[in-house]
């Protein structure tokens, strides 16, 4: 990235636009790059669509492209492919896939955001590579493109010159990592601080869907056990109870969890209960002891310990982080005012 004078060369970024794209997939990374430019980076940002057409996003906003995909010339530092949840429409757009494929040949690296993994995969760029997408689309990506090793948990995954990210806002995480690579941690940290986002988000995206993230077990008994836990997180899911319910011994059930999921029944149950508690914290205002009982933890202290183990935050901090703030005190706690 550095020229002969020792100064870093401008880094051209091309953001692909197409109809139905998720607005934040586009604006999230672009805002990170723009903020980085304000703190010492030198990104040259360009948006491009097929034939230079305006596109409509999922939010209803219209985006005006800077240029046409077919008119982009010269070397590209980073090519970014955003997504649309109706990924089949994107994959079926031959003009779009051909345009992305052409630009791949002149790009130092390529990144996809959320469902952007699907049109990128349609070019063949992800064959034989690890890749991420939104947790609720991971199974569809693996089924449609079996040559891809789909990572169902990571916020973003790098494999060679390709970087793929999970759902929507993870494009911000991905872009911050690229800024750090290109212009150093000081610039990336300044951009993150200005945008009031994590420099490195805690946890993976499995925290948002434990049952979806678990590999589909081959053994019918284990599938029944997993579904029973997911259906009633607050139920009795001790090893003895699960074994009785599925008609196998405790020893056999333990072996099935280890061999097929690489975990224990106790750990899986705790993850499901954490997910249930997350939903209650995000959507309701019940006291923490009520949340603990309804999600199967029994007590507020048990809930707190599980959240610290699994997510690295307390239930109270989680509720504040994922819901609208209601007081200046909450804002100060979340943003680390004074630090």
């Amino acid at each position: 990235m550095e020229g002969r004078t020792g100064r870093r060369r401008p880094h051209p970024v091309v953001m692909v636009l197409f109809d139905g794209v998720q607005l934040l997939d586009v604006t999230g990374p672009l805002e990170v790059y723009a903020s980085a430019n304000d703190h010492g980076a030198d990104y040259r940002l360009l948006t491009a669509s097929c034939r230079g057409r305006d596109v409509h996003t999922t939010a209803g906003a219209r985006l005006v492209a800077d240029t046409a995909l077919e008119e982009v010339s010269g070397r590209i530092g980073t090519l970014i492919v955003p997504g649309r949840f109706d990924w089949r429409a994107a994959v079926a757009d031959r003009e779009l896939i051909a345009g992305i494929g052409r630009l791949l040949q002149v790009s130092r690296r390529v990144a996809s955001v959320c469902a952007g993994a699907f049109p990128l995969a349609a070019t063949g760029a992800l064959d034989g590579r690890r890749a991420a997408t939104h947790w609720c689309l991971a199974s569809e990506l693996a089924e449609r493109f079996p040559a891809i090793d789909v990572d169902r948990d990571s916020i973003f995954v790098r494999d060679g010159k390709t970087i793929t990210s999970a759902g929507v806002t993870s494009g911000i995480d991905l872009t911050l990592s690229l800024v750090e690579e290109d212009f150093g941690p000081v610039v990336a940290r300044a951009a993150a601080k200005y945008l009031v986002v994590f420099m490195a988000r805690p946890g993976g995206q499995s925290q948002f869907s434990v049952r979806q993230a678990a590999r589909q077990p081959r053994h019918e008994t284990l599938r029944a056990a997993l579904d029973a836990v997911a259906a009633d997180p607050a139920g009795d899911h001790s090893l003895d109870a699960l074994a009785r319910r599925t008609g196998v011994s405790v020893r056999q059930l333990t072996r099935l969890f280890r061999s097929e999921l690489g975990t224990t029944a106790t750990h899986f149950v705790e993850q499901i209960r954490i997910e249930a508690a997350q939903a209650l914290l995000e959507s309701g205002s019940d006291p923490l002891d009520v949340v603990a009982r309804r999600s199967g933890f029994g007590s507020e202290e048990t809930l707190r310990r599980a959240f610290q183990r699994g997510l690295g935050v307390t239930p109270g901090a989680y509720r504040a982080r994922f819901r609208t703030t209601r007081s200046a005190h909450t804002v100060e706690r979340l943003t680390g005012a004074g630090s």
Side-chain angles (χ1 to χ4, degrees):
M1 284 287 296
E2 291 190 359
R4 293 181 181 178
T5 64
R7 298 189 60 175
R8 299 204 178 193
R9 300 191 185 105
H11 185 113
V13 175
V14 175
M15 172 68 75
V16 178
L17 301 181
F18 50 91
D19 269 328
V21 70
Q22 294 195 127
L23 183 60
L24 193 55
D25 285 10
V26 175
T27 58
L30 291 181
E31 284 291 350
V32 172
Y33 282 130
S35 179
N37 281 345
D38 289 338
H39 294 91
D42 191 0
Y43 290 105
R44 306 296 169 88
L45 307 177
L46 190 73
T47 59
S49 66
C50 292
R51 306 184 195 182
R53 294 182 294 238
D54 294 356
V55 303
H56 289 86
T57 70
T58 52
R62 185 176 69 177
L63 298 178
V64 179
D66 295 320
T67 190
L69 281 176
E70 53 272 22
E71 293 179 2
V72 176
S73 61
R75 297 293 298 178
I76 298 171
T78 304
L79 176 67
I80 305 178
V81 184
R84 60 179 292 178
F85 257 74
D86 180 12
W87 58 265
R88 291 175 180 81
V91 168
D93 188 337
R94 295 183 179 179
E95 187 178 20
L96 172 66
I97 303 306
I100 294 172
R102 185 184 72 82
L103 294 185
L104 283 173
Q105 306 307 310
V106 294
S107 299
R108 183 167 69 85
R109 66 187 178 205
V110 58
S112 69
V113 182
C114 194
F118 287 87
L120 183 58
T123 69
L126 297 180
D127 287 356
R129 297 185 183 276
R130 286 178 61 235
T133 190
H134 195 290
W135 61 262
C136 74
L137 297 175
S139 295
E140 295 176 51
L141 182 65
E143 182 177 354
R144 179 62 182 265
F145 300 101
I148 300 174
D149 178 11
V150 178
D151 187 323
R152 299 167 185 266
D153 182 47
S154 297
I155 296 296
F156 61 89
V157 171
R158 179 157 198 164
D159 190 334
K161 64 177 275 186
T162 66
I163 311 96
T164 53
S165 72
V168 197
T169 59
S170 61
I172 294 173
D173 301 80
L174 178 153
T175 309
L176 282 169
S177 76
L178 299 183
V179 171
E180 182 174 8
E181 177 184 325
D182 296 336
F183 292 96
V186 173
V187 173
R189 191 174 298 111
K193 185 175 182 180
Y194 176 78
L195 295 171
V196 197
V197 295
F198 290 112
M199 179 70 167
R201 188 192 311 211
Q205 65 168 334
S206 64
Q207 61 185 287
F208 300 109
S209 180
V210 175
R211 182 65 181 94
Q212 288 282 347
R215 295 192 299 271
Q216 187 66 9
R218 297 184 301 273
H219 203 289
E220 184 177 346
T221 296
L222 185 54
R223 287 199 302 271
L226 300 187
D227 291 341
V229 176
D232 182 21
D236 180 4
H237 300 308
S238 64
L239 262 175
D240 287 337
L242 284 174
R244 286 196 305 271
R245 194 177 301 135
T246 54
V248 297
S249 68
V250 168
R251 183 176 180 180
Q252 182 179 358
L253 187 62
T254 300
R255 181 181 59 78
L256 287 173
F257 267 92
R258 279 293 186 194
S259 62
E260 295 212 32
L261 299 184
T263 189
T264 65
T266 300
H267 184 248
F268 179 81
V269 171
E270 180 173 282
Q271 287 184 302
I272 289 289
R273 287 174 172 166
I274 288 174
E275 184 179 69
Q278 286 175 289
L280 292 170
L281 291 168
E282 291 168 24
S283 62
S285 56
D286 289 333
L288 292 182
D289 61 333
V290 175
V291 171
R293 289 196 302 272
R294 291 181 60 190
S295 57
F297 285 108
S299 71
E300 183 177 340
E301 178 59 21
T302 304
L303 172 69
R304 186 189 66 78
R305 290 178 180 176
F307 262 60
Q308 289 284 20
R309 280 194 300 270
L311 304 179
V313 296
T314 65
Y318 181 90
R319 169 176 271 166
R321 182 178 296 168
F322 281 88
R323 299 188 66 194
T324 303
T325 55
R326 297 182 182 275
S327 69
H329 175 68
T330 303
V331 172
E332 288 174 359
R333 284 194 295 109
L334 291 180
T335 61
S339 62

